Amino acid sequence: MVKSGAGIQPYSGKVGSDDVGKVDMAYRVVADHIRTLSFAIADGSQPGELIRLVDVFVRVMGDVFPELKDNEKKIKDIIEEEEASFENTLAKGYERFKKAANAVKENGGTILSGQAIALDALVLWDTYGYPIDLTEVMAVDFGLSVDMEGFNVSMEEARQKARNARYKAGGKSIVLDANATSHLRNQGLASTNDSPKFQHKNFIQVVNLPGYLPLLVLALFIFRTVEFIATAFGDEDFGLVLESTSFYAEQGGQIYDTGSIEGASGSFTVNNVQVFAGYVMHIGSFLEGPDSKALSVGDEVKCKVDYTRRTLIAPNHTCTHMLNFALREVLGDHIDQKGSIVLSEKLRFGFSHVKKQIEDELEVSAQEIKLADAERINGLRAVFGEIYPHPVRVVSIGRKVEDLLANPESKEWLSISTELCGGTHISNTRDAAAFALISEEGIAKGVRRITTVTAECASQAMKLASSIETDINEASKLDGATLEKKIGSIKNTLDAAAIPAARKADLKGNVSKLEDQLREAKKKMGKENIQKAVKTAIDAVEAAVSEGKPFCVIHVDVGLDTTAVQEAVVKAMDRFKGLPIMVFSTDEASHKAAIYAGVPPDAPNGFKVLDWLTPSIAPLKGKGGSGKNGLAQGQGSDACRVKEAMELATQIASMKLS
């Protein structure tokens, strides 16, 4: 299959220097690639290409690995979709590489520098899916080579910058590397005990509960100089490691806690909490104030978590579990969690029932148990790729964990949300109060993201939606320019509003109806304006002709409807051949004027339309144009002087046509 598809020589099993042109190596790479792809997709991953080899691979390996046969169609569908996408990105990536290679050749060079190619290689790999070995192959085709040593150095520097950038606070890098955590381990310091983070009933702050007992400072770390210190003081950010903590460190998609740590010599503001190799690092600086600001290793301190903030985070995390369960119930077991983030103001879930679970007031149960026992629970969910410790913490919504353990194979557990999770949760779904799905969007190939809010944020979202709905209902009573302006205002508000997605879709539909209403009203008004303007113009021209005037200057009341003003001139000139006509119309609200003029080609004394229009609209601060076929239009920004402009037009026509 590889031979016929690629049109190359047969596989001969050669390796090393015997494999001229690396053809046999390419065979092995392709075979290994399709094996990896097929197993990965069967396990829930989302890669692509080499669809024609799936039949062969499933035939060879299907008896040993039956999941390949079960997922054969899924594997083919995903590979086919990804292959088409990858072909497009290859073309784009090749153009980027070609520019870089041509630039080197134009300067007489033969080597793509490590630093330059590292930047391009990062983009080619990250954006277009090019591996570095493909970049090397393309370089050979251009008669160039790649400085791989320089490339590796530059790539490592780029990776280090990316790692540091993940933990930024106040512009300073926040990371405890392997050397730092090894230093703590060599000092005989055990990993931080963070179990107190779960021990506050409903997160009510009560002094002397486990999180408020005096704790020992084990280590202090300055990020600027990357070193451990005995005493921290001054205004600089630093990290603090305790023997135990009630703060939640950022992990599993849940945002870190904030708050303060208080000692006899100073109060420390905690604005970030991270965990490194089991050590929880509290990151921040001293509170401003006249009190002494210092902490030393060995000091006793008390943790004070901002539980008001935690009460906003916890319902979002619990609703993440309910959302995960609901998606699988509705869309099927193929749905996998592709990452989530739980913040105080919202939750985001990468991939209404959740509302029902809130109304059902289901108890949320959490318990640490052996991993082997947890794995026996029917319907238990875990995040793909996550490594779980022993013991594990099981969170169940609607039934106690001990009930699940008593009969782990029960099919009843398939109808409830049960997950491995180390995050903080509410004790009952009623504590979430409300739930609102704000948006659903694609963020990557085959991956979509849902953003929702709960509790007070959800209530505010619903109130905002109701307020916008009221505005729309009120706007339906308006008409004309007032309605048009109101629609623009509502659309701007609606686009930026964080409101339930279903409500937003409905409200956008209602705005569309308003726009239809406005279009119909404009259409109707346009017809009425044309009829009105044409009748006014014809009546005025008839009067002018009966009085023996060689021209006619008219004012019609159709606002800035230029179509109606134009039709008035055209229809009047058709009715009364050879008569120059100028029509003015004004809009009080904008203080603007619309003007249209027509002069027959055989007008006496070489009278031209622009010779008439341009000077006539000068009092209006007007501008005119065209003049084609004896017709011209203009506009003015000072409509209050329209009478003066009409008198001037009359004077000019009288002099030219007398």
Side-chain angles (χ1 to χ4, degrees):
M1 180 64 76
V2 176
K3 174 182 177 297
S4 61
I8 56 176
Q9 65 197 53
Y11 179 71
S12 60
K14 294 177 181 178
V15 297
S17 59
D18 294 335
D19 183 13
V20 179
K22 307 297 181 185
V23 174
D24 288 344
M25 181 181 72
Y27 270 100
R28 290 189 289 273
V29 168
V30 171
D32 184 65
H33 197 46
I34 192 62
R35 180 187 65 181
T36 302
L37 282 170
S38 298
F39 279 125
I41 294 173
D43 286 341
S45 190
Q46 198 84 8
E49 71 187 90
L50 305 177
I51 186 174
R52 289 176 294 172
L53 299 177
V54 174
D55 289 331
V56 177
F57 183 73
V58 172
R59 206 162 49 239
V60 173
M61 303 295 291
D63 291 336
V64 182
F65 300 98
E67 67 268 24
L68 293 173
K69 289 183 177 179
D70 295 341
N71 292 280
E72 183 173 357
K73 184 178 185 304
K74 174 185 176 183
I75 292 169
K76 288 181 177 178
D77 289 345
I78 291 176
I79 288 180
E80 184 174 27
E81 182 181 353
E82 294 294 329
E83 190 172 34
S85 176
F86 188 59
E87 286 176 358
N88 289 331
T89 57
L90 277 177
K92 294 177 182 177
Y94 179 72
E95 289 302 316
R96 183 180 181 99
F97 172 84
K98 189 164 67 172
K99 287 181 181 179
N102 285 334
V104 172
K105 294 184 72 173
E106 287 171 4
N107 292 323
T110 59
I111 300 175
L112 286 164
S113 76
Q115 185 175 10
I117 199 63
L119 176 60
D120 282 327
L122 274 172
V123 175
L124 287 168
W125 174 78
D126 187 49
T127 305
Y128 300 112
Y130 275 70
I132 184 59
D133 52 357
L134 180 56
T135 303
E136 283 189 279
V137 171
M138 292 192 301
V140 171
D141 291 340
F142 276 76
L144 303 171
S145 60
V146 177
D147 173 17
M148 287 304 298
E149 184 176 345
F151 166 79
N152 290 329
V153 171
S154 296
M155 284 289 280
E156 183 54 38
E157 290 176 354
R159 291 189 187 102
Q160 186 60 46
K161 288 179 180 178
R163 283 192 289 267
N164 290 344
R166 285 183 303 172
Y167 303 106
K168 288 285 184 181
K172 300 177 178 64
S173 294
I174 297 174
V175 62
L176 212 59
D177 61 17
N179 290 332
T181 55
S182 295
H183 171 79
L184 294 177
R185 202 73 68 190
N186 292 336
Q187 297 295 313
L189 302 182
S191 298
T192 307
N193 171 24
D194 63 351
S195 59
K197 66 189 178 188
F198 300 123
Q199 294 178 13
H200 275 277
K201 181 71 173 177
N202 293 328
F203 316 126
I204 297 174
Q205 183 170 316
V206 181
V207 177
N208 291 330
L209 281 176
Y212 288 84
L213 296 176
L215 303 170
L216 203 61
V217 176
L218 299 183
L220 298 166
F221 190 79
I222 293 291
F223 298 102
R224 178 178 55 81
T225 56
V226 194
E227 63 178 338
F228 288 99
I229 55 176
T231 300
F233 54 88
D235 298 326
E236 188 169 12
D237 281 1
F238 63 94
L240 178 67
V241 178
L242 303 174
E243 58 179 338
S244 181
T245 183
S246 53
F247 280 86
Y248 184 88
E250 182 172 10
Q251 55 192 313
Q254 181 174 325
I255 193 70
Y256 48 78
D257 278 336
T258 60
S260 63
I261 293 176
E262 297 185 357
S265 300
S267 294
F268 175 73
T269 302
V270 179
N271 54 40
N272 196 337
V273 187
Q274 300 290 332
V275 60
F276 303 99
Y279 295 104
V280 174
M281 178 72 77
H282 308 77
I283 300 148
S285 58
F286 286 109
L287 290 171
E288 295 183 3
D291 297 338
S292 173
K293 297 190 295 184
L295 279 175
S296 299
V297 173
D299 282 356
E300 285 191 344
V301 296
K302 290 184 179 181
C303 292
K304 290 195 174 180
V305 175
D306 182 352
Y307 284 106
T308 300
R309 180 173 175 273
R310 173 88 74 85
T311 57
L312 300 176
I313 296 170
N316 286 342
H317 197 152
T318 303
C319 283
T320 300
H321 285 225
M322 292 192 284
L323 181 57
N324 191 3
F325 177 78
L327 286 172
R328 295 180 64 79
E329 283 282 289
V330 175
L331 301 178
D333 288 340
H334 66 284
I335 295 299
D336 280 317
Q337 183 173 341
K338 298 294 183 180
S340 65
I341 183 168
V342 181
L343 306 172
S344 58
E345 69 275 14
K346 65 184 176 183
L347 69 93
R348 281 208 317 254
F349 185 92
F351 60 136
S352 138
H353 183 84
V354 176
K355 179 182 178 183
K356 181 180 181 302
Q357 289 191 330
I358 291 174
E359 292 172 347
D360 287 346
E361 298 188 358
L362 303 177
E363 184 178 343
V364 180
S365 173
Q367 185 177 326
E368 283 195 350
I369 62 176
K370 293 179 181 179
L371 179 60
D373 291 340
E375 289 173 338
R376 293 172 53 220
I377 298 174
N378 198 9
L380 178 81
R381 290 296 302 159
V383 177
F384 179 78
E386 189 81 13
I387 298 174
Y388 294 95
H390 298 277
V392 292
R393 187 166 179 266
V394 175
V395 176
S396 176
I397 300 175
R399 292 298 295 265
K400 292 184 180 296
V401 175
E402 47 261 40
D403 295 341
L404 276 59
L405 292 173
N407 186 16
E409 281 93 26
S410 173
K411 291 185 178 180
E412 182 184 350
W413 312 148
L414 294 172
S415 63
I416 65 173
S417 168
T418 307
E419 293 192 36
L420 299 180
C421 180
T424 59
H425 290 270
I426 50 181
S427 59
N428 191 290
T429 58
R430 66 169 170 264
D431 296 332
F435 174 91
L437 193 156
I438 300 299
S439 68
E440 189 275 340
E441 60 187 344
I443 59 171
K445 193 69 174 179
V447 180
R448 302 193 68 78
R449 171 185 289 162
I450 289 174
T451 300
T452 75
V453 291
T454 63
E456 181 61 24
C457 290
S459 298
Q460 291 297 327
M462 294 171 187
K463 287 180 183 177
L464 178 57
S466 297
S467 174
I468 295 173
E469 184 175 28
T470 299
D471 284 348
I472 293 173
N473 292 336
E474 291 297 322
S476 65
K477 303 171 186 176
L478 305 175
D479 55 26
T482 307
L483 174 59
E484 187 168 15
K485 185 177 180 180
K486 187 63 176 177
I487 288 175
S489 174
I490 291 173
K491 288 178 72 173
N492 289 336
T493 301
L494 187 56
D495 287 342
I499 61 175
R503 290 290 302 278
K504 180 175 278 194
D506 290 342
L507 293 175
K508 284 188 173 181
N510 292 342
V511 171
S512 293
K513 291 178 182 178
L514 277 185
E515 290 178 314
D516 291 341
Q517 175 184 325
L518 180 62
R519 275 191 292 271
E520 287 301 314
K522 281 186 173 182
K523 191 175 180 181
K524 181 181 178 182
M525 183 176 290
K527 289 181 179 179
E528 292 175 352
N529 282 345
I530 289 174
Q531 292 173 355
K532 181 179 181 181
V534 169
K535 184 178 186 308
T536 301
I538 289 177
D539 288 348
V541 172
E542 282 181 345
V545 170
S546 65
E547 295 172 9
K549 292 182 180 179
F551 65 91
C552 186
V553 177
I554 313 158
H555 182 276
V556 297
D557 186 17
V558 293
L560 300 179
D561 190 339
T562 55
T563 300
V565 177
Q566 178 181 355
E567 281 294 298
V569 172
V570 172
K571 290 290 194 296
M573 290 184 69
D574 284 345
R575 177 79 67 87
F576 302 96
K577 303 293 184 182
L579 191 75
I581 300 170
M582 186 179 295
V583 176
F584 289 78
S585 183
T586 56
D587 178 63
E588 290 185 10
S590 64
H591 305 292
K592 292 182 180 179
I595 311 97
Y596 213 89
V599 174
D602 57 351
N605 303 323
F607 190 41
K608 303 295 182 184
V609 67
L610 285 179
D611 294 340
W612 191 23
L613 176 71
T614 303
S616 297
I617 62 177
L620 303 173
K621 298 179 182 177
K623 295 179 181 179
S626 185
K628 188 176 181 181
N629 298 322
L631 297 172
Q633 65 180 8
Q635 57 184 7
S637 58
D638 190 5
C640 64
R641 298 179 65 184
V642 66
K643 184 177 180 181
E644 181 182 344
M646 292 179 68
E647 289 175 351
L648 182 57
T650 300
Q651 292 172 8
I652 294 171
S654 296
M655 288 189 295
K656 291 285 186 179
L657 300 174
S658 60

